[in-house]
Structures are given as structure tokens and as C-alpha cells.
Amino acid sequence: MSKVVVMDHPLIKHKITMIRDKNTGSKDFRELVTEISTLMAYEVTRDFPLTEVEIETPITRMMSPVIAGKKVGLVPILRAGLGMVDGMLNLIPAAKVGHIGLYRDPETLKPVEYYCKLPMDVSERDLILLDPMLATGGSAIAAIEFLKRSGAQSIKLVCLIAAPEGIKAVQNAAPDVDIYLGAIDEKLNDHAYIVPGLGDAGDRLFGTK
Ligand code: PRP
Ligand code: URA
């Protein structure tokens, strides 16, 4: 069964409270999502392996740790996942970025795929799948299945807010994908929106609706 990591850092909790607030406008919402994503990148990269290199300080020579040539791919689920890319790139600037376009049909609640473009060497990269909201889990599962069909060997899922239903669905469908979350909420409502949640993440990021 996959690991579920809920980030309990006070800065993340504080900033998630601010994005939940319906009075937070798009400009602040975008900035906060970027900041939260940078803080989450810190935890998501915790297991990156290190190797030692020899350097010379002004005082002496020494062996010192550096990241061991990790190849990372960030994959935002469009649209709302785009809001998390810059924050992650702040800490992992050499990552390549792929895109998966999915929207949730409002009637069936099933994900509809409309665009996909991934790095060529996807099978050699540690992929970090980005989406602020994990509701029913349908979008995340469709994206994970697409990544696996494209050759992905290593996938982590990073979301700001999740419903218990979505976590369970992803764990059942993809027990090898660890899930990193900013918060776990109470439930889904009748329209499969997360309660209390933050509303429609894409609309709040981009000022649509
Ligand atoms: C939102 C969100 C997730 C999905 C979550 O996207 O960003 O991708 O819903 O719901 P699920 O877990 O039930 O699949 P949406 O479909 O609204 O598209 P958008 O990002 O383009 O607004
Ligand atoms: N998508 C969103 O943007 N918000 C939710 O609460 C559920 C799905």
C-alpha cells in the first residue's frame, strides 16, 4: 500500500487557510499556491539519494554531499496543476515538465483527456504528478495510468487538498504511488466538490467564472 504523507508544517497550514478563504483573489491565490508548492517540494525530495564530491573550501579540501544525478519530471494535470509548477521548479530547477490535459465532465464526473506531452525519457525520471485537488481521484488515476502506459517507473502524487474518497481510490488503483498532501478534508459533496475545500481550483487560479 502506498504511503500518504500529510505535511504538518505551520507555514503550509497557514497558507492553505488563506487559499481556502473565498475572499482571497486570483493574484494572491496564485502566489500562495506557488509558495505552498515550494514548501511541499522540500518534503517530496527528502528521499533523493546523495553522493559525495570533492571540493575545496577557503580552508581545506573536503568530501561533501550533492544530489546523486537525479532525473526529475514534473507533470501538472491541466489546468489547475499548472499553478504548482513554478513553486516546485524553485527547488528542482533542472526538472523537465510534461503536461496532461484532463477535465472532469460535470455530468459523469469522469475525467476527459484532451492533451498530453511528456519528456522523451519518461521511464528514466522520477515523476512528480501535480494537482491541487484530489476529489474522487478519477483525474489522478487517469493521469497515473497514462504515465504508466508511457513507460513511467516512478511516480509521486502531490496535491494541496484531498478528500478521503480520492485517497482511497488512488491507493486502490495505484498502490505503488506515494501521495503527498497539504491537508485531508472531511468529504465530497453531491457535486463531488471537496468539503470544506477551496472551491474550483482552476477557476480560482485563473480567475475564470
Ligand atoms: C479539478 C482538479 C482535478 C480534478 C479533481 O480539475 O484540478 O484535476 O478536478 O477531481 P477528481 O479527483 O474528482 O477527478 P477540473 O476537472 O475542474 O479541471 P480544471 O483544472 O481545468 O479546472
Ligand atoms: N475540483 C476542484 O477544483 N475542486 C474540488 O473541490 C473538486 C474538484
Side-chain angles (χ1 to χ4, degrees):
M1 184 58 68
S2 64
K3 185 170 71 172
V4 177
V5 179
V6 184
M7 320 254 164
D8 63 355
H9 195 285
L11 285 173
I12 295 181
K13 287 179 186 261
H14 177 91
K15 290 173 194 293
I16 286 182
T17 298
M18 294 171 79
I19 57 172
R20 287 184 189 278
D21 189 332
K22 69 175 188 182
N23 295 313
T24 299
S26 288
K27 174 181 177 291
D28 289 339
F29 191 94
R30 269 197 296 273
E31 288 172 6
L32 286 159
V33 169
T34 296
E35 290 168 6
I36 296 166
S37 303
T38 301
L39 293 166
M40 291 182 86
Y42 182 79
E43 190 58 41
V44 172
T45 53
R46 182 175 287 282
D47 62 357
F48 277 16
L50 293 168
T51 186
E52 299 244 304
V53 294
E54 187 176 3
I55 56 163
E56 196 168 354
T57 77
I59 310 297
T60 186
R61 298 190 76 77
M62 71 176 290
M63 297 300 289
S64 195
V66 292
I67 301 281
K70 207 70 176 161
K71 287 174 122 186
V72 178
L74 302 178
V75 184
I77 300 179
L78 308 181
R79 288 175 299 165
L82 284 175
M84 299 175 70
V85 173
D86 286 351
M88 287 271 159
L89 285 173
N90 282 337
L91 290 196
I92 323 170
K96 294 242 160 74
V97 182
H99 296 84
I100 297 185
L102 294 173
Y103 70 88
R104 199 172 67 161
D105 183 287
E107 301 295 326
T108 65
L109 300 178
K110 297 274 179 270
V112 181
E113 189 178 306
Y114 60 89
Y115 182 79
C116 286
K117 182 82 181 169
L118 299 176
M120 296 282 282
D121 53 356
V122 80
S123 60
E124 293 163 32
R125 293 189 177 266
D126 284 318
L127 300 180
I128 303 178
L129 183 61
L130 303 172
D131 196 328
M133 310 304 278
L134 179 61
T136 65
S139 303
I141 292 168
I144 290 167
E145 285 172 352
F146 178 82
L147 291 176
K148 288 185 174 174
R149 281 200 304 278
S150 305
Q153 306 286 327
S154 161
I155 306 171
K156 291 174 175 169
L157 172 64
V158 183
C159 305
L160 304 189
I161 299 181
E165 295 90 329
I167 298 171
K168 205 180 289 175
V170 172
Q171 284 191 307
N172 284 335
D176 55 330
V177 173
D178 289 338
I179 307 172
Y180 294 79
L181 302 171
I184 300 178
D185 276 10
E186 199 186 319
K187 60 178 181 182
L188 296 176
N189 69 13
D190 293 344
H191 303 285
Y193 272 80
I194 299 174
V195 181
L198 52 69
D200 187 302
D203 285 341
R204 295 206 57 197
L205 266 172
F206 298 111
T208 42
K209 209 182 256 172

